[in-house]
Amino acid sequence: MNFIVHKLVLNKLRNLTVDEILEHSQEYQVPLSPGQASQIVQFLRQNRLDPFKEDDRLQMLKALAQITDTQTAQKTHQIFLQLAKEHGIKL
């Protein structure tokens, strides 16, 4: 993957706002409360995990499942994989 694209995606993840997460959750029909979105933002800012690395992605999904539930984490993972595929990003 292009180094610049990789860095842009990581930077965007670490700088997401609660409103942006809630907006995306509606767009992709993943129900989230403002409190859950806030916890996700906090997690993303505190952890330097790379979703393009399988081990890091699994850690992120486990944390998301703890914040929300297993179904939400699984649905989010599927959306992430689909978006990566659509944009030609190999995981």
Side-chain angles (χ1 to χ4, degrees):
M1 173 183 2
N2 183 321
F3 176 77
I4 294 171
V5 172
H6 186 208
K7 290 296 179 187
L8 286 171
V9 170
L10 290 177
N11 188 47
K12 180 62 180 169
L13 273 177
R14 292 184 180 120
N15 291 300
L16 280 170
T17 66
V18 171
D19 289 338
E20 287 173 321
I21 288 180
L22 290 172
E23 205 174 284
H24 290 302
S25 75
Q26 289 177 348
E27 179 182 349
Y28 292 104
Q29 300 172 352
V30 177
L32 287 180
S33 71
Q36 291 170 325
S38 179
Q39 287 179 299
I40 292 167
V41 166
Q42 185 178 22
F43 174 82
L44 291 172
R45 289 186 180 159
Q46 290 176 347
N47 295 281
R48 294 294 180 198
L49 298 172
D50 182 346
F52 298 106
K53 295 178 182 175
E54 187 174 359
D55 289 341
D56 285 2
R57 188 170 57 252
L58 292 175
Q59 273 188 274
M60 292 173 81
L61 292 169
K62 286 178 185 177
L64 181 58
Q66 290 176 341
I67 293 168
T68 60
D69 57 57
T70 304
Q71 288 178 325
T72 298
Q74 288 172 346
K75 186 171 184 177
T76 302
H77 186 235
Q78 291 305 313
I79 292 167
F80 178 78
L81 294 176
Q82 182 63 36
L83 289 171
K85 183 179 177 180
E86 286 175 11
H87 291 88
I89 298 170
K90 294 181 182 180
L91 300 174

